[in-house]
Amino acid sequence: MGRVHNFNPGPSAIPLPALQTAQKELLDYNGLGLSVLEMSHRSKDFDAILAETKKSLTNLLQIPENYSIIFLGGGASLQFAMLPMNFLAQDQCADYINTGAWSAKAISEAKLFGKVNIAVTSEEAKYTFIPSPEQLKLDPSAQYVHLTSNNTIFGTQWHYYPDTGSVPLVVDMSSDILSRSFDIKKIAMIYAGAQKNIGPAGVTLVIIRNDMLEKVKAGIPKILNYKTHTDKDSTYNTPPVFNVYMIHLFLKWIESIGGLAAMEKINREKKDIIYSVIDGSDGFYKGTVREDSRSWMNATLRLSSEELEATFVTDAKANGFIGLKGHRSVGGIRVSMYNGVPLEAVEKLAEFMKEFRKKH
Ligand code: PMP
């Protein structure tokens, strides 16, 4: 069939069985004689897709009953603005932890609505580490604490979640949602663009603890109010119907391989393979971040010159591995190994990396 080994940083690989089901059902979903692309968002068939998708999420992430799950448009970037619009007034303060370009974007949006306390930043260290609990200067009167769990561009990831006491913790999980287990009860709100780990671009998953909904500010546009969407179960207006369906198929695939524990095990193996190639390369491949902060999702590395990096990307592509060029703002190489990237693709890439080193 000639499919490539897809290491794109996002939108990124979707498991083949999910794509094949979508292909099979594209013209005739469930014997209805129409596609999910052509279906009313108010039909009982879409209701069932939505309910199934929420059920899978609830089971996989063990989401307690006092949380709501909604699907929104506008990308994770809309959440940068929607979060402070809903929960931060001019005279109030929110804590933000700055661990990368996406955190910084969230911070600049929050500043339009209220005061922002940068609880800690790794910017001076070129975003190469995740701060320790001791480094966080949290404000006990903050409306919420915001952090980015995986820093897609810089290749760092949180491997713990800070204890924020009674201050709600809000996490941008756009690049590591459902890649590993975590205790959701520590988190008041999660948002994640689907396009890296659970589906296609065009839909953002928001999981929000219901007590947060009571704190939504008055006077904000209806369409940007979280309560509008939780009250109407994601169908206040037309949601991205097909994208929700693709999340549904992606989650069914995660369930089929054994759920989140199995997904985590595979992701752990994948990152171990790549980091061991880097660490065993005698400095040929140089990881760019502190070892304790390494991301399981995006391994960022440098070679001895930009020319050699360009050769790496070109040779990799000729061998069927695409999407390995680092983000345009930082250069280098980035190996994105999200949920949809099979273990075998990573094993083959590791072989390629070893061969490339020998050759150069
Ligand atoms: N947060 C993180 C961690 C991301 O990686 C991205 C996209 N790469 C975004 C937010 C922005 O997402 P979107 O393009 O869906 O607005």
Side-chain angles (χ1 to χ4, degrees):
M1 193 179 5
R3 282 178 58 83
V4 291
H5 298 302
N6 182 357
F7 290 91
N8 276 335
S12 32
I14 293 178
L16 198 55
L19 292 174
Q20 284 169 329
T21 305
Q23 183 186 44
K24 189 160 74 80
E25 296 180 340
L26 190 67
L27 300 184
D28 182 6
Y29 177 75
N30 239 355
L32 295 169
L34 55 78
S35 169
V36 177
L37 286 163
E38 307 164 293
M39 185 180 280
S40 166
H41 60 294
R42 309 217 179 271
S43 63
K44 72 174 182 359
D45 302 288
F46 181 67
D47 275 352
I49 291 172
L50 193 56
E52 275 294 312
T53 313
K54 285 166 62 178
K55 195 169 138 204
S56 292
L57 283 166
T58 304
N59 291 338
L60 289 166
L61 289 174
Q62 300 187 7
I63 304 174
E65 271 180 16
N66 60 328
Y67 286 74
S68 298
I69 302 169
I70 48 176
F71 301 94
L72 304 176
S77 299
L78 178 61
Q79 297 309 306
F80 296 162
M82 205 165 146
L83 170 69
M85 183 182 259
N86 277 253
F87 300 119
L88 187 62
Q90 281 295 339
D91 57 342
Q92 294 176 327
C93 180
D95 282 330
Y96 275 76
I97 302 173
N98 184 10
T99 53
W102 299 111
S103 307
K105 286 200 166 154
I107 289 165
S108 71
E109 297 289 64
K111 282 180 176 167
L112 298 172
F113 295 93
K115 300 191 189 85
V116 170
N117 171 46
I118 307 296
V120 63
T121 176
S122 59
E123 190 178 1
E124 296 81 59
K126 299 207 167 99
Y127 294 126
T128 50
F129 71 93
I130 294 295
S132 66
E134 299 74 43
Q135 288 175 293
L136 305 177
K137 303 275 178 295
L138 298 173
D139 175 352
S141 68
Q143 298 306 297
Y144 57 84
V145 180
H146 178 277
L147 66 84
T148 315
S149 56
N150 183 73
N151 298 284
T152 325
I153 296 174
F154 296 93
T156 63
Q157 186 178 25
W158 288 75
H159 297 297
Y160 74 99
Y161 284 121
D163 181 2
T164 59
S166 59
V167 180
L169 177 61
V170 178
V171 182
D172 173 2
M173 282 196 199
S174 291
S175 52
D176 66 357
I177 185 98
L178 277 141
S179 64
R180 58 178 183 180
S181 54
F182 61 92
D183 183 5
I184 195 165
K185 295 192 286 302
K186 286 188 171 170
I187 303 174
M189 182 179 138
I190 294 167
Y191 61 90
Q195 66 266 30
K196 299 176 202 298
N197 278 298
I198 55 169
V203 57
T204 304
L205 167 67
V206 176
I207 305 171
I208 184 165
R209 208 172 60 210
N210 293 338
D211 62 283
M212 295 290 286
L213 299 167
E214 307 309 315
K215 296 188 246 179
V216 171
K217 306 276 169 239
I220 57 177
K222 211 164 182 195
I223 188 72
L224 297 172
N225 183 326
Y226 289 113
K227 222 169 155 348
T228 302
H229 299 284
T230 55
D231 284 352
K232 299 285 186 202
D233 195 13
S234 302
T235 52
Y236 163 70
N237 66 328
T238 319
V241 174
F242 195 79
N243 309 52
V244 173
Y245 162 73
M246 285 309 301
I247 294 183
H248 165 64
L249 297 181
F250 203 130
L251 299 180
K252 284 279 155 223
W253 172 78
I254 296 180
E255 288 171 347
S256 77
I257 62 161
L260 197 54
M263 193 75 258
E264 174 168 342
K265 187 166 171 283
I266 296 168
N267 286 331
R268 185 187 294 274
E269 279 182 60
K270 281 162 26 185
K271 64 97 186 167
D272 281 345
I273 289 170
I274 294 302
Y275 286 117
S276 78
V277 172
I278 293 172
D279 293 340
S281 74
D282 269 336
F284 183 82
Y285 297 114
K286 290 178 279 295
T288 60
V289 306
R290 214 170 71 188
E291 276 186 34
D292 66 357
S293 306
R294 282 174 165 177
S295 166
W296 293 24
M297 298 280 100
N298 313 96
T300 47
L301 52 129
R302 305 277 342 202
L303 279 76
S304 60
S305 70
E306 286 184 13
E307 292 70 43
L308 192 56
E309 288 167 351
T311 307
F312 179 91
V313 171
T314 312
D315 279 14
K317 195 169 175 201
N319 283 276
F321 306 99
I322 67 146
L324 292 162
K325 198 166 186 270
H327 190 267
R328 60 191 183 282
S329 64
V330 295
I333 305 296
R334 170 169 54 171
V335 182
S336 299
M337 330 168 239
Y338 305 119
N339 285 345
V341 177
L343 177 61
E344 305 77 63
V346 173
E347 286 168 341
K348 289 198 172 116
L349 178 65
E351 283 315 308
F352 168 80
M353 287 172 75
K354 288 179 197 162
E355 284 301 315
F356 186 85
R357 181 189 153 205
K358 266 193 220 153
K359 216 162 111 191
H360 294 273

